[in-house]
Amino acid sequence: MEFIRSPFFYVGDKYKLMPQLIELFPKNIDVYYEPFCGGGSSFLNVNAKKYIVNDIDEYVIKLHLFFKEKSQNKDKFINDIYNIIYKYGLSCSVLGITVPEELKKQYVKTYYAKYNKKAYLNMREDFNKFQSNMYLLYLLLIYGFNHMIRFNSNGMFNLPVGNVDFNSNVLKAIDNYLNFLSSKTIEFENYDYKDFLINKKINSNDFIYFDPPYLISQSEYNKLWNEEKEKELYDILDCLNKEKVIFGITNLLNHKGKTNNILLEWSKKYKVYNIESNYISFNDNSIKVNSNEVYITNANY
Ligand SMILES: C[S@@+](CC[C@H](N)C(=O)[O-])C[C@H]1O[C@@H](n2cnc3c(N)ncnc32)[C@H](O)[C@@H]1O
């Protein structure tokens, strides 16, 4: 099976872990639920009859819905994206718009950021005027630092330019995602995960995968998370277990010297699988990132 990546290249995405996770997920899923779907790299790689996914971030969900709408006319969508890239004068290796050699020599490690900065800031300013143009938001995500969606306290998108380009990987990811969206039955929701789960009638052949913000790591969406929310999530999972709903959850038990003790205690009730995670450098043992990422499930197989 070929594993595919969401075109959002979303921070914290599970693309690299999916080959391991898919082995631990149920084999036959009627409805796949994902309450913390982020960029979608998880559900994209799951085979189910139907998908119902959610995220609290309204712009993430707006982007998914935008892609869903555009999946009906793939060629036009990609063409529209190219026109915006031309309009702002961004680099785009797929279109042959490359950074001049001089600039590459001068800024060996940051030449994309140098080249795209002005165009990116113009595009950001235009997006912030109405904040409704999803083409612009998508390109801000692609050309932005660490592929994040970040707004300041005044509600303005404020991510700086990243050292990245619209390359063949981005194009391939867009193509894969549009194909997925046009061939599957998928619903997107935009709630806190508790409100998402309430009133859902979840059956024994359904499955819920939880990929919440990790309590002991850092990212933009961790601002929304704390110990109280972590405990509440585990209480909810215990309730789901009582109702015989099958779930799986990933999280970090240890990371950079910290331990998630709430998780450690709670996990003793269920099956725990160690995951070889991105936090560990497989190739370079000198990079010592001491992490233990786990998958916990109440499934009996
Ligand atoms: C680790 S990321 C999910 C990544 C995703 N599995 C992927 O592969 O792209 C966690 C997500 O949880 C969302 N989130 C944070 N708090 C939430 C809440 N209370 N309810 C629903 N979603 C929430 C964040 O916006 C973020 O997108």
Side-chain angles (χ1 to χ4, degrees), residues 6 8-15 18 32 34-43 54-58 60 64 190-196 209-214 219-225 229 250 279:
S6 145
F8 301 176
F9 299 89
Y10 197 69
V11 60
D13 86 1
K14 291 295 168 291
Y15 166 65
M18 285 318 289
Y32 172 87
E34 197 178 330
F36 303 87
C37 76
S41 281
S42 307
F43 67 73
N54 173 76
D55 200 281
I56 202 167
D57 187 318
E58 70 169 290
V60 168
H64 282 299
N190 175 215
Y191 299 109
D192 178 88
Y193 78 96
K194 295 191 295 294
D195 299 325
F196 168 72
Y209 170 53
F210 292 83
D211 185 18
Y214 288 176
S219 86
E220 190 56 24
Y221 45 66
N222 277 48
K223 286 181 192 158
L224 305 169
W225 206 250
K229 285 183 187 278
T250 39
Y279 300 100

